[in-house]
Amino acid sequence: MTINTVDSNNQGIEAVKIEAVNFRTGKTYKDLQNHMNIGFGKIFSYRLFSAPTDFAESGDPVQVMITSGTGKIVRVSMTVSGGKCACSVKLISGPETINIE
């Protein structure tokens, strides 16, 4: 599962820090951008979760906190489902593209 970060003009902008909390398990995920930070020109895409068994197949409520270069923190609620392999981790609800400016 990946997310994209953009500025107020919908142009790609790099996040300084990304953290997430799975409300069902209480598990915190920190510095998630270190797992995959791909910049294709003006697109910044981050892999959030690669541990499929951390999430219920029916979906778990997750809050993602993204810090921009200006220090602004954006909080986004999503529902994420898991399963038996990394390909099972999917976004059920919530944004894939997040304005962090």
Side-chain angles (χ1 to χ4, degrees):
M1 190 194 113
T2 61
I3 60 166
N4 301 312
T5 52
V6 297
D7 65 14
S8 57
N9 294 317
N10 210 30
Q11 298 295 312
I13 187 171
E14 189 170 11
V16 173
K17 184 177 183 182
I18 301 175
E19 296 182 7
V21 175
N22 180 329
F23 287 125
R24 180 182 63 85
T25 65
K27 186 170 181 178
T28 300
Y29 304 85
K30 295 185 178 191
D31 295 322
L32 301 173
Q33 73 270 24
N34 291 332
H35 291 249
M36 184 172 74
N37 179 356
I38 301 174
F40 296 107
K42 296 196 177 244
I43 299 173
F44 291 90
S45 185
Y46 302 96
R47 184 173 183 156
L48 289 186
F49 308 108
S50 60
T53 57
D54 285 355
F55 301 93
E57 288 185 33
S58 59
D60 286 335
V62 174
Q63 183 176 66
V64 178
M65 293 146 291
I66 305 168
T67 304
S68 72
T70 63
K72 180 180 177 184
I73 297 173
V74 176
R75 290 177 174 81
V76 178
S77 296
M78 17 179 98
T79 304
V80 177
S81 68
K84 296 181 182 182
C85 70
C87 64
S88 300
V89 179
K90 299 206 182 329
L91 180 66
I92 294 175
S93 67
E96 289 182 22
T97 300
I98 301 165
N99 180 330
I100 64 169
E101 192 172 70

